[in-house]
Amino acid sequence: MLEDYPLNRAGMNRLLKAAKISYRLPRTSISVTEIAESAAAAPTDPHQAQQLMVQIIASVSATSLRNNKARLAAISGTDAQTTLQEIAALANDDVLAAYAKFRTGTRNTFSHIGPAIFTRYLAAITPEAFVLDTQVATTLHRAGIAIDPTGPWSVQSYRAYIDTLYWWAGEYHDPADLELALLNCPRADTPTTFTGDTGRILAHLLGEDLPAPTTWGLTTLDKKFGPLHPGTVSAITGEQGSGVSSLMRTIALGNARRGVTVDLITSLDPGEAWALLLAGATGVPVTELTNRDNTGRAHAIVDKAPQLAGTVRILAAPDPESPADVLLDDRPTATVPAARRGVAQVYAWADANPPEGDLDAFVRLERPDLNEPDHPRAGEIDAYDVLNNTGVVLGNALHLGRLVDLGKR
């Protein structure tokens, strides 16, 4: 965001004088701080409310004066000052009601002052308002949102836009960051590289950089449960020792092989967690990796380590700014988290029964030989998706810290 907005000071001041507005622009630019000071006073001071609108018009227009004569004429006079002050006061309590006072029915209250300007006025006053202009609307339309790219935009359209920002942001992102990304998004015919977390989300929405094909880590699971789609929330449960953590590592490795970025959150000691993950990746048993007397372990790791196109990060807690496409939390929880657009989430569940909440899959693991070592099905693990009524038998490779397709033990 710019700290100072360039403007045509001389031209704007001539128009202000002609419109009989007493305020004058003191410099050839206007700062964010100046706008914020006017915005703070606007809800209680009609003169400051008018001054704020002048500053918004000047900052949006930059060095151009097009339509500004009509705009300034529309906000001159005491009645206009009072209306702007009332809108500013209302914005702090009800953004949509404030929007409706700017746009009554199918007409703008002030001539030549449309949503591109008056939503900036509202956004200067309250963080609950967001800028809506043709740039934003065009990008929303490209992302599949039902909105007219060129307007006009009713109160219902503005509400839908705000709801979309909060939906995309989810629990871990700021809607204002997505608003800024929309404002800065290039035209469809402009080559670009999307960067940062919000850039990644926007790229996914626009289909510019489709997310990698996320997976449950095993072919049999993907066939039975369907792919681990971005935007879904799943849970895994089972008795201690039944393979919940091993399935988490299996999912992590399977996605890393596909070039997907994975966050694996665990309460294990980092060294132990890495040893288990490395065992699953290399096929070298955990006992050999952790045996300091095994002088050949380093060579075995180098010889057998696969080239993973993606990244696995082992964390003790979630990273709100993480760019991960898959989030795996191995710490048993009893709370269903909110879905995150573009991110597949899988959680260890503390209870044997599915929760009351929106889950896409609830996988229960049962290991026949857990309490009966001589069980005829020793070495197998049943994985059953309770919500979707489907299941599969997996192979137990817990000595490698992971699970395998049956027959590949």
Side-chain angles (χ1 to χ4, degrees):
M1 181 183 292
L2 292 173
E3 291 299 323
D4 289 275
Y5 298 92
L7 50 87
N8 186 337
R9 174 178 175 268
M12 280 294 295
N13 282 343
R14 283 196 302 271
L15 294 179
L16 287 166
K17 183 178 180 179
K20 298 181 180 180
I21 296 175
S22 59
Y23 175 67
R24 297 291 183 271
L25 293 161
R27 298 181 296 111
T28 56
S29 65
I30 188 167
S31 69
V32 173
T33 301
E34 290 174 280
I35 294 174
E37 289 172 351
S38 298
T44 56
D45 187 332
H47 293 283
Q48 290 290 324
Q50 183 189 61
Q51 177 175 307
L52 173 62
M53 181 57 83
V54 171
Q55 292 171 334
I56 296 297
I57 291 171
S59 64
V60 170
S61 302
T63 57
S64 172
L65 297 176
R66 184 182 179 187
N67 293 327
N68 283 357
K69 180 179 179 180
R71 288 168 178 157
L72 295 177
I75 63 168
S76 64
T78 55
D79 288 346
Q81 288 179 348
T82 300
T83 300
L84 288 169
Q85 180 261 319
E86 290 174 349
I87 291 173
L90 184 59
N92 283 316
D93 297 322
D94 190 336
V95 169
L96 295 176
Y99 185 99
K101 283 191 69 84
F102 265 125
R103 184 164 178 79
T104 53
T106 58
R107 299 175 62 87
N108 296 324
T109 301
F110 300 103
S111 177
H112 291 86
I113 297 179
I117 292 178
F118 69 67
T119 57
R120 282 175 167 84
Y121 181 90
L122 297 175
I125 294 167
T126 172
E128 297 302 314
F130 301 93
V131 175
L132 178 58
D133 59 13
T134 55
Q135 166 68 45
V136 170
T138 298
T139 307
L140 289 170
H141 186 74
R142 287 173 59 197
I145 302 301
I147 189 170
D148 191 319
T150 59
W153 303 295
S154 64
V155 176
Q156 290 74 21
S157 295
Y158 191 57
R159 177 192 290 115
Y161 164 49
I162 293 175
D163 290 344
T164 296
L165 285 180
Y166 278 98
W167 171 44
W168 285 353
E171 183 180 356
Y172 295 99
H173 301 283
D174 187 343
D177 290 338
L178 286 166
E179 173 203 33
L180 185 60
L182 289 168
L183 286 166
N184 293 326
C185 185
R187 301 186 308 274
D189 59 350
T190 304
T192 185
T193 299
F194 292 93
T195 59
D197 202 17
T198 53
R200 176 182 61 81
I201 294 173
L202 194 56
H204 289 346
L205 295 170
L206 298 177
E208 301 287 345
D209 179 21
L210 295 177
T214 45
T215 173
W216 282 95
L218 295 174
T219 302
T220 50
L221 285 177
D222 284 341
K223 286 182 177 179
K224 279 291 184 179
F225 297 167
L228 187 63
H229 290 294
T232 58
V233 180
S234 305
I236 304 173
T237 189
E239 292 184 65
Q240 185 174 0
S242 62
V244 174
S245 296
S246 295
L247 180 53
M248 289 287 191
R249 287 186 289 271
T250 303
I251 297 171
L253 290 168
N255 282 284
R257 288 191 176 95
R258 295 188 175 196
V260 176
T261 300
V262 181
D263 278 358
L264 175 59
I265 303 162
T266 178
S267 57
L268 290 176
D269 172 81
E272 182 181 358
W274 276 116
L276 288 163
L277 197 65
L278 195 58
T282 62
V284 179
V286 178
T287 52
E288 292 185 27
L289 290 176
T290 55
N291 181 2
R292 294 182 181 274
D293 296 328
N294 181 8
T295 56
R297 62 177 179 165
H299 293 292
I301 293 172
V302 171
D303 291 340
K304 296 183 180 181
Q307 295 298 313
L308 300 180
T311 301
V312 179
R313 299 196 310 166
I314 292 181
L315 305 173
D319 175 8
E321 299 299 321
S322 172
D325 297 295
V326 175
L327 172 64
L328 308 172
D329 196 334
D330 192 30
R331 306 167 304 168
T333 184
T335 304
V336 178
R340 293 173 57 184
R341 195 171 182 87
V343 180
Q345 302 178 77
V346 183
Y347 292 81
W349 194 251
D351 197 293
N353 298 310
E356 294 182 3
D358 294 328
L359 280 178
D360 296 279
F362 185 80
V363 179
R364 182 181 292 136
L365 299 183
E366 295 181 357
R367 180 180 162 192
D369 63 351
L370 181 61
N371 299 309
E372 190 179 342
D374 296 327
H375 193 283
R377 293 183 57 216
E380 297 181 359
I381 292 179
D382 296 325
Y384 184 73
D385 183 354
V386 176
L387 298 183
N388 298 298
N389 194 30
T390 185
V392 64
V393 180
L394 303 174
N396 176 348
L398 302 186
H399 64 295
L400 299 178
R402 60 169 304 171
L403 305 184
V404 294
D405 287 325
L406 196 63
K408 294 185 178 181
R409 287 173 288 171

